[in-house]
Short mmCIF file of all heavy atoms in Angstrom, two decimals:
data_model
loop_
_atom_site.label_atom_id
_atom_site.label_comp_id
_atom_site.label_asym_id
_atom_site.label_seq_id
_atom_site.Cartn_x
_atom_site.Cartn_y
_atom_site.Cartn_z
N MET J 8 55.25 143.35 6.18
CA MET J 8 55.37 141.98 6.70
C MET J 8 55.89 141.10 5.52
O MET J 8 55.47 141.23 4.41
CB MET J 8 54.00 141.53 7.14
CG MET J 8 53.96 140.10 7.59
SD MET J 8 52.31 139.79 8.26
CE MET J 8 52.31 138.03 8.21
N TYR J 9 56.84 140.26 5.89
CA TYR J 9 57.41 139.37 4.89
C TYR J 9 56.46 138.16 4.62
O TYR J 9 55.98 137.55 5.58
CB TYR J 9 58.79 138.85 5.35
CG TYR J 9 59.84 139.88 5.12
CD1 TYR J 9 60.25 140.73 6.12
CD2 TYR J 9 60.46 139.99 3.87
CE1 TYR J 9 61.21 141.67 5.89
CE2 TYR J 9 61.48 140.95 3.68
CZ TYR J 9 61.84 141.78 4.70
OH TYR J 9 62.81 142.75 4.47
N LEU J 10 56.29 137.91 3.33
CA LEU J 10 55.50 136.68 3.00
C LEU J 10 56.36 135.58 2.58
O LEU J 10 56.05 134.39 2.71
CB LEU J 10 54.51 137.04 1.87
CG LEU J 10 53.32 137.89 2.16
CD1 LEU J 10 52.49 138.07 0.88
CD2 LEU J 10 52.53 137.31 3.27
N CYS J 11 57.55 135.95 1.97
CA CYS J 11 58.45 134.90 1.49
C CYS J 11 59.83 135.18 2.03
O CYS J 11 60.43 136.22 1.66
CB CYS J 11 58.44 134.93 -0.05
SG CYS J 11 59.66 133.79 -0.74
N LEU J 12 60.28 134.28 2.88
CA LEU J 12 61.61 134.47 3.45
C LEU J 12 62.73 134.05 2.46
O LEU J 12 63.82 134.58 2.52
CB LEU J 12 61.70 133.67 4.73
CG LEU J 12 60.77 134.10 5.83
CD1 LEU J 12 60.93 133.28 7.09
CD2 LEU J 12 60.95 135.56 6.16
N CYS J 13 62.45 133.17 1.60
CA CYS J 13 63.47 132.67 0.63
C CYS J 13 63.85 133.81 -0.28
O CYS J 13 65.04 134.00 -0.66
CB CYS J 13 62.96 131.52 -0.18
SG CYS J 13 62.71 129.98 0.71
N LYS J 14 62.87 134.64 -0.73
CA LYS J 14 63.13 135.72 -1.64
C LYS J 14 63.06 137.09 -0.98
O LYS J 14 63.23 138.14 -1.66
CB LYS J 14 62.15 135.66 -2.81
CG LYS J 14 62.40 134.46 -3.73
CD LYS J 14 63.67 134.63 -4.45
CE LYS J 14 64.01 133.40 -5.34
NZ LYS J 14 65.27 133.53 -6.03
N GLY J 15 62.69 137.17 0.29
CA GLY J 15 62.59 138.43 0.97
C GLY J 15 61.48 139.28 0.43
O GLY J 15 61.61 140.53 0.34
N LEU J 16 60.37 138.71 0.10
CA LEU J 16 59.25 139.41 -0.49
C LEU J 16 58.23 139.83 0.54
O LEU J 16 57.81 139.05 1.40
CB LEU J 16 58.52 138.52 -1.53
CG LEU J 16 59.37 138.03 -2.72
CD1 LEU J 16 58.62 137.00 -3.50
CD2 LEU J 16 59.71 139.22 -3.58
N THR J 17 57.85 141.08 0.47
CA THR J 17 56.88 141.62 1.42
C THR J 17 55.46 141.61 0.79
O THR J 17 55.34 141.40 -0.39
CB THR J 17 57.21 143.08 1.78
OG1 THR J 17 57.14 143.89 0.62
CG2 THR J 17 58.61 143.18 2.39
N GLU J 18 54.47 141.96 1.59
CA GLU J 18 53.10 142.05 1.07
C GLU J 18 53.02 143.07 -0.06
O GLU J 18 52.35 142.83 -1.08
CB GLU J 18 52.16 142.47 2.19
CG GLU J 18 51.90 141.37 3.20
CD GLU J 18 50.88 141.85 4.28
OE1 GLU J 18 50.49 143.05 4.22
OE2 GLU J 18 50.59 141.05 5.14
N SER J 19 53.70 144.21 0.12
CA SER J 19 53.60 145.26 -0.91
C SER J 19 54.31 144.81 -2.21
O SER J 19 53.87 145.15 -3.32
CB SER J 19 54.16 146.58 -0.38
OG SER J 19 55.48 146.44 0.00
N ASP J 20 55.40 144.05 -2.08
CA ASP J 20 56.06 143.52 -3.29
C ASP J 20 55.03 142.65 -4.07
O ASP J 20 54.91 142.73 -5.26
CB ASP J 20 57.26 142.62 -2.91
CG ASP J 20 58.40 143.43 -2.30
OD1 ASP J 20 58.57 144.59 -2.63
OD2 ASP J 20 59.10 142.83 -1.46
N VAL J 21 54.38 141.69 -3.34
CA VAL J 21 53.46 140.80 -3.96
C VAL J 21 52.26 141.57 -4.56
O VAL J 21 51.83 141.28 -5.69
CB VAL J 21 52.99 139.69 -2.96
CG1 VAL J 21 51.92 138.82 -3.62
CG2 VAL J 21 54.20 138.88 -2.55
N GLN J 22 51.77 142.52 -3.86
CA GLN J 22 50.60 143.28 -4.37
C GLN J 22 50.96 143.99 -5.66
O GLN J 22 50.21 143.99 -6.64
CB GLN J 22 50.16 144.33 -3.34
CG GLN J 22 49.45 143.73 -2.18
CD GLN J 22 49.18 144.73 -1.05
OE1 GLN J 22 49.08 145.93 -1.36
NE2 GLN J 22 49.12 144.31 0.16
N ARG J 23 52.16 144.65 -5.65
CA ARG J 23 52.57 145.43 -6.87
C ARG J 23 52.77 144.49 -8.07
O ARG J 23 52.25 144.75 -9.17
CB ARG J 23 53.91 146.09 -6.57
CG ARG J 23 54.51 146.89 -7.71
CD ARG J 23 55.82 147.62 -7.27
NE ARG J 23 56.62 146.89 -6.32
CZ ARG J 23 57.43 145.92 -6.61
NH1 ARG J 23 57.58 145.53 -7.88
NH2 ARG J 23 58.16 145.28 -5.72
N VAL J 24 53.40 143.29 -7.85
CA VAL J 24 53.64 142.41 -9.01
C VAL J 24 52.37 141.76 -9.40
O VAL J 24 52.10 141.53 -10.64
CB VAL J 24 54.69 141.36 -8.61
CG1 VAL J 24 54.88 140.32 -9.70
CG2 VAL J 24 56.04 142.05 -8.34
N ALA J 25 51.45 141.41 -8.49
CA ALA J 25 50.19 140.78 -8.79
C ALA J 25 49.33 141.68 -9.69
O ALA J 25 48.67 141.24 -10.64
CB ALA J 25 49.42 140.41 -7.54
N GLN J 26 49.34 142.96 -9.34
CA GLN J 26 48.52 143.89 -10.18
C GLN J 26 49.15 144.01 -11.58
O GLN J 26 48.41 144.03 -12.58
CB GLN J 26 48.44 145.24 -9.49
CG GLN J 26 47.54 145.15 -8.28
CD GLN J 26 47.63 146.43 -7.39
OE1 GLN J 26 48.50 147.23 -7.55
NE2 GLN J 26 46.70 146.51 -6.44
N ALA J 27 50.48 144.00 -11.68
CA ALA J 27 51.11 144.12 -12.95
C ALA J 27 50.88 142.83 -13.78
O ALA J 27 50.75 142.89 -15.02
CB ALA J 27 52.63 144.30 -12.78
N CYS J 28 50.79 141.68 -13.15
CA CYS J 28 50.62 140.42 -13.79
C CYS J 28 49.13 140.06 -14.00
O CYS J 28 48.86 138.99 -14.59
CB CYS J 28 51.30 139.26 -13.05
SG CYS J 28 53.09 139.39 -13.02
N GLN J 29 48.27 140.86 -13.45
CA GLN J 29 46.80 140.64 -13.57
C GLN J 29 46.46 139.25 -13.05
O GLN J 29 45.61 138.55 -13.64
CB GLN J 29 46.34 140.88 -15.00
CG GLN J 29 46.58 142.27 -15.46
CD GLN J 29 46.18 142.54 -16.88
OE1 GLN J 29 45.97 141.63 -17.63
NE2 GLN J 29 46.01 143.80 -17.21
N ALA J 30 47.11 138.84 -11.96
CA ALA J 30 46.79 137.59 -11.25
C ALA J 30 47.05 136.36 -12.09
O ALA J 30 46.58 135.26 -11.74
CB ALA J 30 45.38 137.60 -10.69
N ASN J 31 47.82 136.45 -13.18
CA ASN J 31 48.16 135.24 -13.92
C ASN J 31 49.17 134.47 -13.06
O ASN J 31 50.27 134.93 -12.78
CB ASN J 31 48.81 135.65 -15.24
CG ASN J 31 49.27 134.47 -16.03
OD1 ASN J 31 49.92 133.56 -15.51
ND2 ASN J 31 48.93 134.44 -17.29
N PRO J 32 48.79 133.27 -12.58
CA PRO J 32 49.65 132.59 -11.61
C PRO J 32 51.02 132.25 -12.14
O PRO J 32 52.03 132.40 -11.39
CB PRO J 32 48.85 131.27 -11.31
CG PRO J 32 47.45 131.60 -11.70
CD PRO J 32 47.53 132.59 -12.79
N LYS J 33 51.15 131.82 -13.34
CA LYS J 33 52.45 131.52 -13.95
C LYS J 33 53.35 132.79 -14.03
O LYS J 33 54.54 132.76 -13.68
CB LYS J 33 52.32 130.83 -15.29
CG LYS J 33 53.60 130.51 -15.98
CD LYS J 33 54.43 129.50 -15.19
CE LYS J 33 55.73 129.18 -15.92
NZ LYS J 33 56.77 128.77 -15.01
N ALA J 34 52.75 133.85 -14.51
CA ALA J 34 53.47 135.09 -14.66
C ALA J 34 53.88 135.65 -13.31
O ALA J 34 55.04 136.12 -13.14
CB ALA J 34 52.63 136.13 -15.41
N LEU J 35 53.03 135.49 -12.36
CA LEU J 35 53.37 135.99 -11.00
C LEU J 35 54.48 135.14 -10.36
O LEU J 35 55.48 135.71 -9.82
CB LEU J 35 52.14 135.85 -10.07
CG LEU J 35 52.26 136.29 -8.67
CD1 LEU J 35 52.50 137.79 -8.59
CD2 LEU J 35 51.04 135.97 -7.82
N THR J 36 54.45 133.82 -10.50
CA THR J 36 55.51 132.95 -10.00
C THR J 36 56.87 133.30 -10.63
O THR J 36 57.86 133.40 -9.90
CB THR J 36 55.18 131.54 -10.27
OG1 THR J 36 53.96 131.18 -9.61
CG2 THR J 36 56.24 130.58 -9.82
N THR J 37 56.90 133.54 -11.95
CA THR J 37 58.10 133.88 -12.60
C THR J 37 58.58 135.27 -12.18
O THR J 37 59.76 135.43 -11.96
CB THR J 37 57.90 133.79 -14.12
OG1 THR J 37 57.48 132.46 -14.50
CG2 THR J 37 59.17 134.13 -14.91
N ALA J 38 57.68 136.20 -12.15
CA ALA J 38 58.13 137.61 -11.84
C ALA J 38 58.63 137.68 -10.43
O ALA J 38 59.57 138.48 -10.20
CB ALA J 38 56.86 138.52 -12.03
N LEU J 39 58.17 136.90 -9.52
CA LEU J 39 58.65 136.92 -8.15
C LEU J 39 59.81 136.05 -7.94
O LEU J 39 60.47 136.08 -6.85
CB LEU J 39 57.49 136.51 -7.18
CG LEU J 39 56.30 137.43 -7.08
CD1 LEU J 39 55.23 136.80 -6.19
CD2 LEU J 39 56.70 138.79 -6.49
N GLY J 40 60.17 135.27 -8.91
CA GLY J 40 61.32 134.40 -8.80
C GLY J 40 61.07 133.14 -7.99
O GLY J 40 62.00 132.51 -7.49
N LEU J 41 59.80 132.79 -7.82
CA LEU J 41 59.44 131.66 -7.00
C LEU J 41 59.58 130.35 -7.66
O LEU J 41 59.32 129.26 -7.05
CB LEU J 41 57.99 131.86 -6.46
CG LEU J 41 57.81 133.08 -5.58
CD1 LEU J 41 56.34 133.25 -5.23
CD2 LEU J 41 58.71 133.01 -4.34
N ASP J 42 59.99 130.29 -8.92
CA ASP J 42 60.24 129.06 -9.61
C ASP J 42 61.72 128.71 -9.63
O ASP J 42 62.12 127.72 -10.25
CB ASP J 42 59.70 129.06 -11.03
CG ASP J 42 60.09 130.30 -11.81
OD1 ASP J 42 60.89 131.10 -11.28
OD2 ASP J 42 59.66 130.43 -12.98
N ASP J 43 62.50 129.44 -8.81
CA ASP J 43 63.90 129.12 -8.71
C ASP J 43 64.06 127.84 -7.85
O ASP J 43 63.30 127.54 -6.99
CB ASP J 43 64.68 130.27 -8.04
CG ASP J 43 64.74 131.51 -8.90
OD1 ASP J 43 64.37 131.36 -10.06
OD2 ASP J 43 65.15 132.54 -8.41
N ASP J 44 65.20 127.16 -8.02
CA ASP J 44 65.51 125.94 -7.29
C ASP J 44 65.68 126.16 -5.77
O ASP J 44 65.47 125.24 -5.02
CB ASP J 44 66.73 125.26 -7.83
CG ASP J 44 66.51 124.69 -9.19
OD1 ASP J 44 65.29 124.46 -9.57
OD2 ASP J 44 67.48 124.42 -9.90
N ASP J 45 66.01 127.38 -5.40
CA ASP J 45 66.25 127.67 -3.97
C ASP J 45 65.01 128.03 -3.20
O ASP J 45 65.12 128.46 -2.02
CB ASP J 45 67.38 128.72 -3.81
CG ASP J 45 66.97 130.05 -4.38
OD1 ASP J 45 66.03 130.07 -5.21
OD2 ASP J 45 67.63 131.04 -4.06
N CYS J 46 63.89 127.95 -3.80
CA CYS J 46 62.62 128.32 -3.10
C CYS J 46 62.00 127.07 -2.52
O CYS J 46 61.90 125.99 -3.14
CB CYS J 46 61.68 128.94 -4.07
SG CYS J 46 62.21 130.54 -4.62
N CYS J 47 61.53 127.18 -1.28
CA CYS J 47 60.91 126.06 -0.58
C CYS J 47 59.44 125.84 -0.93
O CYS J 47 58.90 124.74 -0.73
CB CYS J 47 61.10 126.19 0.89
SG CYS J 47 60.03 127.53 1.60
N GLY J 48 58.73 126.93 -1.35
CA GLY J 48 57.34 126.79 -1.68
C GLY J 48 56.37 126.90 -0.58
O GLY J 48 55.15 126.94 -0.77
N ARG J 49 56.81 127.15 0.67
CA ARG J 49 55.95 127.24 1.80
C ARG J 49 55.05 128.50 1.72
O ARG J 49 53.98 128.48 2.33
CB ARG J 49 56.71 127.31 3.08
CG ARG J 49 56.99 125.95 3.62
CD ARG J 49 57.73 126.00 4.95
NE ARG J 49 59.15 125.93 4.61
CZ ARG J 49 60.13 126.11 5.48
NH1 ARG J 49 59.84 126.41 6.71
NH2 ARG J 49 61.35 125.99 5.12
N CYS J 50 55.47 129.50 1.02
CA CYS J 50 54.68 130.73 0.97
C CYS J 50 53.68 130.74 -0.11
O CYS J 50 52.84 131.67 -0.23
CB CYS J 50 55.63 131.92 0.72
SG CYS J 50 56.49 131.76 -0.85
N ALA J 51 53.59 129.70 -0.97
CA ALA J 51 52.73 129.71 -2.15
C ALA J 51 51.27 129.99 -1.85
O ALA J 51 50.60 130.80 -2.52
CB ALA J 51 52.91 128.40 -2.87
N GLY J 52 50.74 129.37 -0.82
CA GLY J 52 49.31 129.54 -0.49
C GLY J 52 49.02 130.96 -0.09
O GLY J 52 48.04 131.54 -0.60
N ASN J 53 49.83 131.54 0.72
CA ASN J 53 49.60 132.93 1.19
C ASN J 53 49.80 133.89 0.00
O ASN J 53 49.06 134.87 -0.10
CB ASN J 53 50.52 133.30 2.34
CG ASN J 53 50.19 132.57 3.61
OD1 ASN J 53 49.08 132.17 3.77
ND2 ASN J 53 51.16 132.43 4.49
N ILE J 54 50.78 133.68 -0.78
CA ILE J 54 51.01 134.58 -1.94
C ILE J 54 49.87 134.47 -2.92
O ILE J 54 49.41 135.53 -3.44
CB ILE J 54 52.39 134.27 -2.57
CG1 ILE J 54 53.49 134.78 -1.62
CG2 ILE J 54 52.49 134.90 -3.96
CD1 ILE J 54 54.85 134.70 -2.12
N ASP J 55 49.41 133.27 -3.22
CA ASP J 55 48.26 133.13 -4.16
C ASP J 55 47.03 133.85 -3.58
O ASP J 55 46.33 134.52 -4.38
CB ASP J 55 47.92 131.66 -4.32
CG ASP J 55 48.94 130.90 -5.16
OD1 ASP J 55 49.77 131.57 -5.79
OD2 ASP J 55 48.88 129.68 -5.19
N GLN J 56 46.76 133.73 -2.36
CA GLN J 56 45.63 134.38 -1.73
C GLN J 56 45.72 135.92 -1.82
O GLN J 56 44.82 136.58 -2.21
CB GLN J 56 45.52 133.92 -0.27
CG GLN J 56 44.23 134.21 0.40
CD GLN J 56 44.17 133.55 1.78
OE1 GLN J 56 45.17 133.32 2.42
NE2 GLN J 56 42.94 133.23 2.18
N LEU J 57 46.88 136.47 -1.48
CA LEU J 57 47.08 137.91 -1.48
C LEU J 57 47.05 138.39 -2.96
O LEU J 57 46.50 139.46 -3.21
CB LEU J 57 48.39 138.29 -0.86
CG LEU J 57 48.72 139.76 -0.89
CD1 LEU J 57 47.68 140.54 -0.05
CD2 LEU J 57 50.07 140.00 -0.27
N ALA J 58 47.63 137.64 -3.87
CA ALA J 58 47.65 138.09 -5.26
C ALA J 58 46.23 138.14 -5.86
O ALA J 58 45.88 139.04 -6.56
CB ALA J 58 48.48 137.08 -6.12
N ALA J 59 45.42 137.10 -5.53
CA ALA J 59 44.03 137.11 -5.97
C ALA J 59 43.24 138.35 -5.43
O ALA J 59 42.53 139.00 -6.16
CB ALA J 59 43.32 135.80 -5.57
N CYS J 60 43.50 138.64 -4.19
CA CYS J 60 42.87 139.74 -3.58
C CYS J 60 43.32 141.11 -4.19
O CYS J 60 42.53 141.94 -4.50
CB CYS J 60 43.13 139.74 -2.07
SG CYS J 60 42.14 140.86 -1.10
N ALA J 61 44.61 141.20 -4.38
CA ALA J 61 45.19 142.41 -4.98
C ALA J 61 44.68 142.66 -6.44
O ALA J 61 44.32 143.73 -6.76
CB ALA J 61 46.70 142.35 -4.98
N ALA J 62 44.60 141.54 -7.17
CA ALA J 62 44.17 141.67 -8.57
C ALA J 62 42.66 142.00 -8.66
O ALA J 62 42.25 142.69 -9.57
CB ALA J 62 44.43 140.39 -9.29
N SER J 63 41.89 141.57 -7.66
CA SER J 63 40.44 141.84 -7.77
C SER J 63 40.09 143.21 -7.16
O SER J 63 38.97 143.63 -7.34
CB SER J 63 39.72 140.76 -6.90
OG SER J 63 39.91 140.95 -5.53
N GLY J 64 41.07 143.85 -6.56
CA GLY J 64 40.84 145.24 -6.06
C GLY J 64 40.33 145.26 -4.67
O GLY J 64 40.02 146.32 -4.14
N CYS J 65 40.26 144.11 -3.99
CA CYS J 65 39.71 144.15 -2.66
C CYS J 65 40.55 144.89 -1.65
O CYS J 65 40.13 145.41 -0.71
CB CYS J 65 39.38 142.73 -2.13
SG CYS J 65 40.86 141.73 -1.87
N LEU J 66 41.91 144.93 -1.88
CA LEU J 66 42.79 145.66 -1.03
C LEU J 66 42.59 147.16 -1.16
O LEU J 66 42.66 147.88 -0.17
CB LEU J 66 44.23 145.27 -1.30
CG LEU J 66 44.61 143.82 -1.04
CD1 LEU J 66 46.01 143.55 -1.48
CD2 LEU J 66 44.40 143.49 0.39
N ARG J 67 42.35 147.61 -2.35
CA ARG J 67 42.09 149.07 -2.56
C ARG J 67 40.79 149.45 -1.92
O ARG J 67 40.72 150.51 -1.27
CB ARG J 67 42.02 149.40 -4.04
CG ARG J 67 43.36 149.41 -4.75
CD ARG J 67 43.23 149.91 -6.14
NE ARG J 67 42.38 149.10 -6.96
CZ ARG J 67 42.80 148.05 -7.72
NH1 ARG J 67 44.05 147.82 -7.76
NH2 ARG J 67 41.92 147.36 -8.40
N ALA J 68 39.77 148.59 -1.94
CA ALA J 68 38.51 148.87 -1.34
C ALA J 68 38.58 148.93 0.17
O ALA J 68 37.95 149.72 0.87
CB ALA J 68 37.48 147.80 -1.74
N ALA J 69 39.49 148.07 0.73
CA ALA J 69 39.66 148.00 2.18
C ALA J 69 40.51 149.11 2.68
O ALA J 69 40.35 149.54 3.88
CB ALA J 69 40.23 146.64 2.58
N GLY J 70 41.41 149.61 1.92
CA GLY J 70 42.42 150.55 2.41
C GLY J 70 42.15 151.94 2.02
O GLY J 70 42.52 152.91 2.55
S1 FES K 101 59.21 131.13 1.81
FE1 FES K 101 58.73 131.65 -0.23
S2 FES K 101 59.71 130.15 -1.47
FE2 FES K 101 60.34 129.73 0.57
#
């Protein structure tokens, strides 16, 4: 499922990068390219939520 239409990012893209960035919000934003001028920012809340969950390991526990 796509979370970010501007960058074409899926849930698995965000999970992978969030784990690599250890949920550092600035590093995650930069790594996903969400600080580019062409991003609308509408996905930020959902991406933050999924990234926090991925970094805490809750997705591994659920899956
Ligand atoms: S939908 Fe993600 S920046 Fe626009």
Side-chain angles (χ1 to χ4, degrees):
M8 177 175 161
Y9 282 94
L10 288 182
C11 175
L12 297 179
C13 293
K14 292 294 179 180
L16 299 170
T17 64
E18 288 180 0
S19 58
D20 293 329
V21 174
Q22 288 172 26
R23 178 178 35 80
V24 174
Q26 288 169 348
C28 293
Q29 299 178 342
N31 178 313
K33 178 63 180 154
L35 181 66
T36 298
T37 301
L39 293 173
L41 297 175
D42 51 1
D43 292 350
D44 290 340
D45 62 343
C46 291
C47 69
R49 272 183 267 172
C50 62
N53 289 338
I54 286 183
D55 287 348
Q56 196 171 27
L57 179 61
C60 191
S63 72
C65 68
L66 296 174
R67 286 187 299 267

